[in-house]
Amino acid sequence: MTIAFRYVLFAIVSTLVNFGTQELVIGVAPLAISILAGTAAGFAVKYVLDKKWIFQDCYTGPGHEARKITLYALFSVLTTAVFWGFEITFWLVWQTDLAKYAGGVIGLAIGYLAKFALDRRFVFLTAAA
């Protein structure tokens, strides 16, 4: 299985976790809270999958791991802004769940592409990818 295939597969998995979490939360909380909860869940899943299966990164101690998580999170904020921008814009324009998720998929695809390049260059420095 190629790195590109795994990366796309893991992006899909984390997107499904994101959207599934949103669906669970939206029943009891406003849209913004559901999006935030989905983003947090997707982040955790994506970090673990990327670290192990994309970049083959080993644990090198708490300080190094904290640095990686911090950089990964900072780049996630940037790419999440793209995701949220598309998701919210699509929802505001068409005001349907289908539109909201279509915007989310587009935003996540753009964000993940940028995130891969940033993570490879700055986060997982010993990456095989």
Side-chain angles (χ1 to χ4, degrees):
M1 204 180 326
T2 68
I3 289 173
F5 180 81
R6 282 193 309 253
Y7 196 79
V8 169
L9 177 64
F10 297 158
I12 291 168
V13 167
S14 64
T15 298
L16 292 174
V17 168
N18 184 322
F19 289 167
T21 302
Q22 284 189 46
E23 280 300 309
L24 289 173
V25 173
I26 194 71
V28 296
L31 176 65
I33 299 299
S34 74
I35 291 172
L36 185 61
T39 300
F43 171 87
V45 167
K46 189 81 168 75
Y47 179 80
V48 170
L49 292 173
D50 282 355
K51 178 177 175 58
K52 170 95 173 134
W53 296 100
I54 300 300
F55 298 104
Q56 300 169 356
D57 186 66
C58 297
Y59 181 80
T60 56
H64 287 108
E65 198 65 26
R67 178 194 164 281
K68 290 175 197 173
I69 291 170
T70 300
L71 285 173
Y72 193 89
L74 288 172
F75 293 141
S76 292
V77 169
L78 175 64
T79 57
T80 296
V82 172
F83 157 53
W84 282 357
F86 274 85
E87 185 172 24
I88 292 168
T89 299
F90 275 50
W91 186 83
L92 289 172
V93 170
W94 289 285
Q95 296 190 5
T96 67
D97 285 342
L98 178 61
K100 178 177 81 106
Y101 290 126
V105 167
I106 293 166
L108 282 169
I110 293 167
Y112 283 144
L113 184 62
K115 185 121 177 40
F116 177 81
L118 292 167
D119 290 341
R120 181 177 61 187
R121 173 77 170 97
F122 298 106
V123 178
F124 301 106
L125 302 176
T126 60

